[in-house]
Amino acid sequence: MADLDADGTNDLITGCFEGGAYLMRGKKDGGFEEPKQVLDKAGNVLRVGQYWDYEAKKWTGVETSKYKDSLGIAAHAVDWDADGDLDLLLGTQDGKVLLRINEGDAKVAAYATECIPVKVGDKDAMMVPGAHAMPVAADWDGDGLWDLVSGSNAGAVVWFRNVGKPGKPKFAPPQTLVEAGTGGLGQRTQACVADFDGDGRMDLLVGDFHGDAGREFHGYVWLFRRTAPKGKP
């Protein structure tokens, strides 16, 4: 959750398997408005590339996108460039982590019409091992800089440490926080970073998906309590 329009209430933003990003604005009296598709500054539905065309009833791709074959499945708000407004991190089914800069302001967003790649180091485009990138920003190591944590289709949770500085994030190669299959953890993991037990250390809440042959489809939320000292992975 984040206050995407600076009105004092938290909003929800999410990706969707059909390829678009959706915003649910928070109400002053609690709850949320109905979801609406997020648009870019040109008025187009904010998509990475691939999407489900409901009218044609087929998968297609945004012709102008550099990532026409990538399906955006996750959206997360973060002030990437420390300019006081929230930008959007987008995760794709093939593991890419991309960025849409907010060229508007904190009250009225105007998202760029093109995605730019988030990089590891100075050269390599960020790819989540195991695909299905679900990035969230959180200060995992307590150094005052937000890092990126992501689940994956393989079922692991990985951490990209931010080794840059405020307004100019830079990321180290991924480290595994939770191995795939730990304790029965399923696939398509989605991580939430929070101090669940109030001990001053960030924990992980991890959603998953199970759909193996011969097993009932289900999705659980798993709690992984932090055992490392504060400031350590």
Side-chain angles (χ1 to χ4, degrees):
M1 289 195 297
D3 186 358
L4 278 93
D5 51 10
D7 67 350
T9 60
N10 279 324
D11 310 302
L12 288 174
I13 192 162
T14 182
C16 178
F17 194 70
E18 59 86 11
Y22 288 81
L23 174 65
M24 289 161 276
R25 296 190 184 278
K27 298 179 180 179
K28 294 290 186 182
D29 57 352
F32 298 91
E33 297 178 1
E34 292 293 317
K36 294 182 179 179
Q37 287 182 314
V38 179
L39 307 180
D40 65 23
K41 67 178 185 179
N44 299 314
V45 176
L46 196 151
R47 298 181 172 115
V48 172
Q50 192 77 194
Y51 68 96
W52 178 255
D53 187 325
Y54 283 100
E55 293 185 2
K57 297 183 179 179
K58 66 177 183 179
W59 289 101
T60 187
V62 179
E63 291 293 335
T64 57
S65 174
K66 298 177 182 178
Y67 306 98
K68 186 178 178 181
D69 296 325
S70 292
L71 172 66
I73 57 174
H76 180 80
V78 63
D79 187 357
W80 179 269
D81 45 12
D83 65 349
D85 58 44
L86 293 173
D87 311 293
L88 290 184
L89 281 170
L90 303 173
T92 70
Q93 98 291 356
D94 51 1
K96 295 183 182 72
V97 179
L98 305 170
L99 176 68
R100 287 287 184 106
I101 290 291
N102 181 359
E103 299 175 0
D105 56 36
K107 292 185 177 181
V108 181
Y111 298 111
T113 56
E114 293 186 4
C115 295
I116 57 176
V118 175
K119 295 183 178 181
V120 172
D122 295 321
K123 297 180 180 180
D124 297 328
M126 182 178 287
M127 295 289 291
V128 171
H132 274 232
M134 294 279 184
V136 295
D139 186 2
W140 180 254
D141 57 357
D143 67 351
L145 296 172
W146 50 264
D147 311 300
L148 294 181
V149 175
S150 180
S152 72
N153 189 55
V157 178
V158 296
W159 167 47
F160 295 87
R161 186 183 178 215
N162 186 349
V163 294
K165 57 185 180 180
K168 293 184 178 180
K170 184 177 180 180
F171 299 97
Q175 299 182 47
T176 300
L177 299 179
V178 180
E179 296 282 355
T182 300
L185 185 66
Q187 297 175 300
R188 302 182 193 174
T189 42
Q190 302 178 48
C192 174
V193 181
D195 183 1
F196 186 82
D197 49 12
D199 66 353
R201 296 176 294 189
M202 289 296 186
D203 309 298
L204 289 174
L205 287 164
V206 182
D208 74 349
F209 169 81
H210 264 298
D212 298 335
R215 297 183 63 180
E216 182 179 356
F217 283 86
H218 69 259
Y220 293 143
V221 177
W222 305 76
L223 171 63
F224 293 90
R225 283 194 170 91
R226 188 75 163 273
T227 57
K230 188 176 180 181
K232 300 293 184 180

